């Protein structure tokens, strides 16, 4: 009996799965083999798994917001531009952490600084209860305002604390930033 957890018809998904988890092909008596998945992530890839989950929460910030088009409300457009800027800078750091881009201490430090500045503006831009059909902001933001602001402050603090002296220290500092984004999006952003 041969079991696989990822369809062989989808090689990219299988490669992604195998990249993050140990997969063992075990032979039983009688010649049958099966795939055994060890549930623990590969130690060298654990940061990458966390990063992948964090980036998943970002969605497609650089792409179109909705099929209906861009926001028409100027306040909402400004909020969305701020979030896209955070997403672009977070992605530039993520690419360095995932080794998709070469490590650049100055670029990482600049990106973290921009994230910290932008995160500090979140409460100002979201304070007016503005809406637009293209917005992904949930109304619960204004019902739980103090918690929402605490999430933004957590992101700003994590970005300020980034140590961009090496790829390793950058990866360690990236985790709290990605976690702050994910936590906020889980609570206050509409699902795609």
């Amino acid at each position: 009996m041969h079991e696989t957890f990822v369809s062989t018809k989808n090689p990219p998904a299988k490669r992604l799965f195998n990249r993050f988890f140990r997969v063992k092909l075990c032979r039983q008596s009688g010649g049958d083999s099966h795939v055994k998945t060890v549930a623990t992530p590969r130690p060298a890839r654990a940061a990458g798994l966390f990063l992948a989950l964090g980036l998943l929460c970002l969605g497609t910030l650089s792409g179109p917001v909705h099929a209906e088009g861009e926001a028409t409300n100027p306040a909402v457009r400004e909020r969305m531009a701020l979030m896209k800027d955070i997403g672009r800078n977070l992605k530039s750091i993520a690419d360095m952490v995932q080794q998709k881009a070469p490590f650049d201490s100055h670029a990482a430090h600049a990106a973290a600084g921009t994230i910290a500045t932008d995160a500090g503006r979140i409460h100002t831009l979201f304070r007016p209860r503005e809406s637009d059909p293209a917005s992904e902001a949930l109304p619960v933001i204004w019902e739980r305002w103090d918690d929402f602001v605490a999430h933004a402050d957590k992101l700003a603090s994590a970005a300020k604390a980034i140590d961009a002296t090496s790829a390793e220290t950058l990866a360690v500092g990236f985790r709290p930033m990605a976690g702050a984004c994910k936590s906020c999006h889980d609570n206050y952003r509409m699902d795609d």
Side-chain angles (χ1 to χ4, degrees), residues 82-95:
L82 180 80
M83 292 301 182
K84 286 179 183 178
D85 192 43
I86 291 172
R88 272 190 302 274
N89 283 285
L90 194 65
K91 184 179 181 327
S92 73
I93 294 173
D95 286 348

Side-chain angles (χ1 to χ4, degrees), residues 113-128:
T114 300
I115 292 169
T117 301
D118 286 352
R121 294 182 55 220
I122 289 173
H123 70 279
T124 303
L125 294 181
F126 276 86
R127 185 172 302 278

Side-chain angles (χ1 to χ4, degrees), residues 26-41:
C26 300
R27 300 222 182 264
Q28 295 178 336
S29 61
D32 289 340
S33 62
H34 68 280
V35 174
K36 180 180 179 184
T37 304
V38 177
T40 56

Side-chain angles (χ1 to χ4, degrees), residues 26-76:
C26 300
R27 300 222 182 264
Q28 295 178 336
S29 61
D32 289 340
S33 62
H34 68 280
V35 174
K36 180 180 179 184
T37 304
V38 177
T40 56
R42 294 178 186 217
R45 304 288 187 200
L49 178 61
F50 185 84
L51 176 65
L53 293 173
L55 291 177
L56 181 63
C57 80
L58 291 176
T60 54
L61 289 176
S62 60
V65 178
H66 283 289
E68 297 88 359
E70 293 294 318
T72 56
N73 181 324
V76 173

